[in-house]
Amino acid sequence: MPAHTIGARGLYVAPGTFTVTMEVDGEKLSRSFAVRADPNAMMTVADQKAREAFLLEAQDVQAKLTAAIADLNTKRGSATGAEAEKLNALAQKLGVAGGGGRGGRGGRGGPAAALGGLQGAFNGSGVRQGSLLPPTGTQRAILADAKRALAEINAALGRKP
């Protein structure tokens, strides 16, 4: 374990030009900068862009899925009869049922947890090295599963996809 924490990290970005804008006391200041590719890297800029796009999509799906799971669990708490059975069965199927679910993690498992694991696999944590490679087939399958789960929850809640 490192002697100090390096704090939360965002996504590594593909090469390109970026602009940062800060506002302090009503005054805005912007600066542009270029992120250049590592000339010794064994991957293409296309691979880096694929990695970045995948992680941004996974992050978006994870946020939506986490909110949808919370809404599902709230609705399950007030549902009765056939609706309660339907919602409880869905929560069990997806591994997001409070007090049970896949792995016995009580709502902290399932597709949202799997997506959270992707972020760590790519960006690393503590002394664990991340990966700068594009997503694997397995990682793409995890994202696809999460998207299916989100669609099922939205359908059960009567929301548009």
Side-chain angles (χ1 to χ4, degrees):
M1 198 71 160
H4 65 283
T5 179
I6 57 175
R9 294 181 247 178
L11 304 173
Y12 292 99
V13 297
T17 301
F18 298 86
T19 301
V20 174
T21 302
M22 293 179 60
E23 183 175 347
V24 178
D25 295 331
E27 191 174 330
K28 286 186 181 182
L29 180 63
S30 295
R31 291 281 196 276
S32 293
F33 62 95
V35 172
R36 294 184 302 249
D38 180 350
N40 296 319
M42 305 273 301
M43 67 197 130
T44 66
V45 171
D47 286 343
Q48 293 173 358
K49 288 188 182 290
R51 177 188 185 279
E52 181 181 349
F54 177 81
L55 281 172
L56 288 171
E57 182 179 16
Q59 190 174 52
D60 180 60
V61 171
Q62 184 177 22
K64 289 175 182 173
L65 184 57
T66 299
I69 290 168
D71 292 347
L72 173 66
N73 284 330
T74 297
K75 189 168 183 179
R76 286 176 52 220
S78 62
T80 59
E83 181 184 26
E85 287 180 28
K86 179 181 107 177
L87 295 174
N88 287 331
L90 176 61
Q92 288 293 329
K93 172 187 166 198
L94 298 177
V96 299
R102 260 180 248 165
R105 290 183 292 233
R108 291 181 294 279
L115 278 180
L118 284 181
Q119 300 292 339
F122 278 101
N123 291 331
S125 60
V127 296
R128 185 172 153 222
Q129 176 67 40
S131 168
L132 295 174
L133 298 174
T136 65
T138 300
Q139 291 164 334
R140 289 185 187 280
I142 289 170
L143 180 57
D145 286 345
K147 286 178 170 181
R148 278 191 292 278
L150 178 59
E152 284 187 69
I153 293 171
N154 282 336
L157 296 175
R159 297 178 180 163
K160 292 181 180 181

